[in-house]
Amino acid sequence: MALPHAQSCEVVSLRPLGPRLHDTPTSALIKAGQLEVIRVVLPAGKEQHQHDAPGEITLLCLEGEVLFQAGAQSHTLREGDFLHLVPRIPHVLRALQDASLLVTICLVPVRA
């Protein structure tokens, strides 16, 4: 069963999950016409396989540590680190420690 998305003006907690991380699934917080916001939860050693997004994305590491790879570039993201990615760049996330991230996705592709 899908979790309900947050409604307009609803407050959502993004505090670190700590010991609850292993019991908390990844979930979409909102999905609107132009924007999707997801809390991605990755236990240590797990990864999101290579994928891309139709629009720009941002990642904010809320807790833990993840390795972000896009082509030949790689970055270790730690609590408080923020990253922006242009559309259609294939990338991979791998948790080096139990981690959660706030991911925003622009669902409207950039027009050339």
Side-chain angles (χ1 to χ4, degrees), residues 13-21 24 39 61-64 79 100:
S13 174
L14 294 174
R15 290 180 185 92
L17 297 167
R20 297 174 305 157
L21 189 137
T24 304
R39 183 178 196 145
C61 185
L62 300 171
E63 62 188 310
E79 183 176 334
S100 69

Side-chain angles (χ1 to χ4, degrees), residues 33-73:
Q34 300 174 23
L35 178 70
E36 185 170 15
V37 180
I38 304 165
R39 183 178 196 145
V40 174
V41 177
L42 288 173
K46 298 291 183 182
E47 77 175 31
Q48 278 193 335
H49 296 288
Q50 184 170 295
H51 60 283
D52 64 27
E56 295 178 84
I57 68 169
T58 65
L59 294 94
L60 172 62
C61 185
L62 300 171
E63 62 188 310
E65 189 173 290
V66 296
L67 180 65
F68 170 87
Q69 293 181 290
Q73 294 188 33

Side-chain angles (χ1 to χ4, degrees), residues 82-101:
F82 178 84
L83 184 134
H84 168 259
L85 191 62
V86 297
R88 298 287 179 208
I89 301 295
H91 58 279
V92 175
L93 287 173
R94 182 178 307 113
L96 302 174
Q97 299 175 356
D98 292 345
S100 69
L101 301 101

